Amino acid sequence: MVRSVIQGVGSALPKRVMTNDDMSKVVDTSHEWIVERTGIHARHIASEGETTRSLAVAAAKDALAAAHMDASAIDLIILATSTPDQTFPATATSVQADLGIRHGMAFDVQAVCSGFVYALTTADALLKAGQAKAALVIGSETFSRILDWSDRTTCVLFGDGAGAFVLTAESDGANRGILACKLHSDGRYNDKLYVDGGPSTTQTVGHLRMEGKEVFKHAVVNIASVMQEVLEDAKVPASQIDWFVPHQANRRILEGTARKLGISEDRIVLTLDRHGNTSAASIPLAFDVAVKDGRIKTGDLVLMEAMGGGFTWGAVLARL
Ligand code: UT7
């Protein structure tokens, strides 16, 4: 059986760090409120010249170095983003050019905060189908550029960054690689988390709008249920999970869903405190932190999940 095996993980963050105290100089908020309601202490914010493309390229190079692979081996690039450099062409093709790759295919996936699990699932399907041999799956975002910096209910939540996986199709991958994936969407909830602009409607980029409480309610239910689905698919009990790498939206959501499934707190990779919510970049960013600090090791069983605008949600179970 062909498996998509994770060969390397990488990430990149903008240089500038914005703390909650810095945030309280921009909107009427406090460090205490943000920490109590979300778990966020600080986030990175892109400066002029740092873009979704440049962060994606830096994360991709880091992942290729970790995989000990040359960019020329890559024949598939999927970039998950809701903040592309341009409406078109796909930022993935710019990343392809910057990496000096002239073959294979590159495209963007747009599933907001679930983008990385959507991109991983798509890459897994293409690798298994023999359409590609080696994939770069990237989540890269500059949400700071679509925030309404006068809206304290949203601007305190998000940050910028990028993370990347290198995956290869292996027919003798033993029990390594992606073991199960499951995606969902329900477009009835489009208006709960959206951007109030776009090329076809306003000809502007627009700003992020969210009914936080509504998203929160659905997130707890949907995430727990899709995690259960992938575990059942792979016939793996939650007790066997070595690491839980959730989308980093809210500490209360991810701890609540882990508790529901019986995953202990010391198995959760939490980077929300220093990254904020980086949308499609949050899972690979958190994953990379835990690989680099020695927590996630080859052979570990890792459960990833996300929920975001659409609504979209999904989960991926993989053995590193
Ligand atoms: O990544 C995509 C998925 N996104 C999510 O999963 C986000 C899900 N939602 C959430 O994480 C939470 O709903 C929030 C963190 C966004 C908000 O937390 P909450 O506990 O639902 O707070 P709330 O919206 O009910 O607001 C409580 C109070 C309100 O004041 P009143 O009406 O009770 O007087 C808000 O005006 O807190 C006020 N508030 C703030 N106060 C200080 C809202 N934002 C702020 C702020 N600083 N930044």
Side-chain angles (χ1 to χ4, degrees), residues 79-275:
L79 173 65
T81 190
S82 299
T83 47
D85 277 30
Q86 296 154 277
T87 304
F88 82 81
T91 305
T93 59
S94 311
V95 172
Q96 183 191 31
D98 288 352
L99 294 174
I101 303 170
R102 307 271 178 273
H103 59 272
M105 57 186 136
F107 59 93
D108 289 358
V109 155
Q110 215 284 52
V112 205
C113 296
S114 313
F116 195 75
V117 291
Y118 266 70
L120 257 189
T121 303
T122 308
D124 181 48
L126 288 166
L127 288 169
K128 281 189 171 141
Q131 296 280 343
K133 287 192 170 58
L136 251 175
V137 179
I138 310 167
S140 184
E141 302 278 20
T142 45
F143 259 50
S144 63
R145 306 228 158 101
I146 55 163
L147 294 174
D148 174 351
W149 286 95
S150 65
D151 176 12
R152 68 173 183 175
T153 69
T154 53
C155 74
V156 304
L157 305 172
F158 296 90
D160 302 333
F165 284 10
V166 172
L167 300 112
T168 58
E170 301 292 336
S171 45
D172 56 353
N175 198 26
R176 290 183 66 203
I178 293 180
L179 307 179
C181 312
K182 192 75 200 170
L183 301 177
H184 290 282
S185 64
D186 188 341
R188 286 176 301 168
Y189 300 103
N190 271 192
D191 61 347
K192 304 297 176 208
L193 174 48
Y194 66 101
V195 163
D196 61 3
S200 181
T201 48
T202 59
Q203 296 83 56
T204 62
V205 172
H207 290 115
L208 182 147
R209 307 288 172 208
M210 175 166 75
E211 286 181 39
K213 263 203 183 335
E214 276 299 302
V215 180
F216 192 106
K217 265 190 346 216
H218 286 272
V220 176
V221 176
N222 291 345
I223 291 167
S225 119
V226 76
M227 281 162 62
Q228 202 69 56
E229 275 183 272
V230 290
L231 290 172
E232 277 165 19
D233 253 28
K235 300 186 180 49
V236 169
S239 58
Q240 281 184 18
I241 300 298
D242 293 303
W243 296 105
F244 174 42
V245 185
H247 167 50
Q248 313 277 321
N250 186 309
R251 188 172 183 145
R252 289 179 289 148
I253 296 177
L254 55 93
E255 287 180 348
T257 45
R259 227 181 353 260
K260 249 188 179 167
L261 269 87
I263 299 170
S264 62
E265 250 179 57
D266 58 345
R267 305 278 95 186
I268 306 175
V269 177
L270 191 110
T271 51
L272 177 73
D273 52 342
R274 55 191 126 151
H275 296 161

Side-chain angles (χ1 to χ4, degrees), residues 6-13 55-67 116 136-139 161-166 281-289 291-292:
I6 302 166
Q7 304 290 1
V9 180
S11 65
L13 287 161
L55 291 167
V57 169
K61 286 182 175 168
D62 193 35
L64 285 164
F116 195 75
L136 251 175
V137 179
I138 310 167
F165 284 10
V166 172
S282 88
I283 292 176
L285 256 171
F287 203 113
D288 190 44
V289 165
V291 168
K292 288 204 167 93

